[in-house]
Amino acid sequence: MRITVVTGTGTGVGKTVATAALAVRSGPGVVVVKPVQTGVLGDEPGDAEEVRRLAGCEVLELVRLADPLAPETAARRAGVSLPTVAEHAARIRSLDSDHVIVEGAGGLLVRLDLSGGTLLDLAAELAADVVIVVDAGLGTLNHTELTVAALRARGIEPAGLVIGAWPSSPGLAEECNLLDLPRVTAVPLLATIPEDVAGHGPDTFAEAVPGWFSPAGPSQAAAGSTS
């Protein structure tokens, strides 16, 4: 089984859309897992359901918490327990799939359980490939380098970076970051996803995905998104 963990440099950088794009690119049989979903009530659709809508793949949400907070904080406020990182890992390994993509919550060091276990711990436990979804704008170099450094400190070499929401009218910072992100991190830029594609239907989304991972290079894909 191949396992890919998708993390972000923070909240709101486009992890869910990037996860759906990676699922489309993986092809039939991929399963996407959201270990902990926060900020949803009852049957309200969460990130996993959005991935299902965009990518048409099988998804699995393991835990749901109402407060829009980090999982550990939301669980403590609700007075409920959370599965440990080891329990999450065992559940993921039990899936009948050649490729499982795990979408984290927030950033790499956000706590997933009540014992201090993080997404970084889960990635290490699973010996997973790790893809980092990053912002396009000012501040992203620092946030990205910190995330890469945390992974390397655990002996995990990131598989690549994905810019999660490339603006339709990029400024100087975005254009420079497109080149600087792989330069300063020594991690390849795998894809550049245009902003606002979450509103696409599944067919349109699937048709667009290969262009975001263009063999011509991320800068060409980004340039195409502005035309």
Side-chain angles (χ1 to χ4, degrees), residues 30-148:
V30 65
V31 176
V32 171
V33 177
K34 183 79 174 182
V36 184
Q37 172 71 65
T38 64
V40 291
L41 299 171
D43 294 331
E44 184 180 12
D47 294 341
E49 187 56 39
E50 179 67 357
V51 170
R52 189 206 308 271
R53 184 186 71 81
L54 289 170
C57 62
E58 181 181 348
V59 300
L60 181 63
E61 178 186 283
L62 301 184
V63 177
R64 168 170 290 218
L65 297 164
D67 286 336
L69 301 168
E72 180 200 40
T73 306
R76 289 191 186 281
R77 281 180 53 85
V80 299
S81 63
L82 285 171
T84 65
V85 162
E87 289 168 339
H88 280 310
R91 182 77 182 276
I92 290 165
R93 288 195 198 98
S94 73
L95 297 174
D96 183 17
S97 174
D98 291 333
H99 188 193
V100 176
I101 301 177
V102 180
E103 182 189 351
L108 186 66
L109 299 183
V110 168
R111 295 184 175 193
L112 293 181
D113 65 24
L114 301 183
S115 301
T118 66
L119 186 66
L120 175 57
D121 296 319
L122 181 60
E125 178 80 15
L126 293 169
D129 296 329
V130 179
V131 172
I132 306 169
V133 183
V134 307
D135 190 30
L138 203 61
T140 194
L141 299 181
N142 178 61
H143 298 155
T144 304
E145 286 193 82
L146 287 170
T147 301
V148 169

